[in-house]
Amino acid sequence: MSEEGDPFWASLYERILGLILIIIGALLLYFTVSSDVGGFSLLFGFLSAVVLLIGILLLVIKPAQ
């Protein structure tokens, strides 16, 4: 391996992490909407949407090389 790191493995790790965050964010959003969490539903909905958005961004944005 070079000292700068291997961009293939870094890119693969970002893609896998993005997929995991999309799955977790979608599950959190589904369970927040489908269950009654009282006054915190807006907070939990926002937080799960942020996790979902971060996962999408990790898949869409290309890393600089």
Side-chain angles (χ1 to χ4, degrees):
M1 280 193 158
S2 66
E3 291 188 22
E4 297 175 3
D6 195 1
F8 171 74
W9 293 110
S11 177
L12 182 66
Y13 175 72
E14 286 180 0
R15 303 293 181 208
I16 292 172
L17 185 64
L19 284 172
I20 290 170
L21 285 177
I22 287 174
I23 292 168
I24 291 172
L27 285 172
L28 286 173
L29 192 60
Y30 170 74
F31 284 117
T32 300
V33 171
S34 66
S35 65
D36 183 29
V37 288
F40 292 106
S41 62
L42 184 62
L43 174 68
F44 291 139
F46 173 74
L47 292 176
S48 60
V50 168
V51 171
L52 186 65
L53 181 65
I54 291 172
I56 291 171
L57 288 177
L58 281 173
L59 283 181
V60 173
I61 295 177
K62 302 270 185 202
Q65 293 188 12

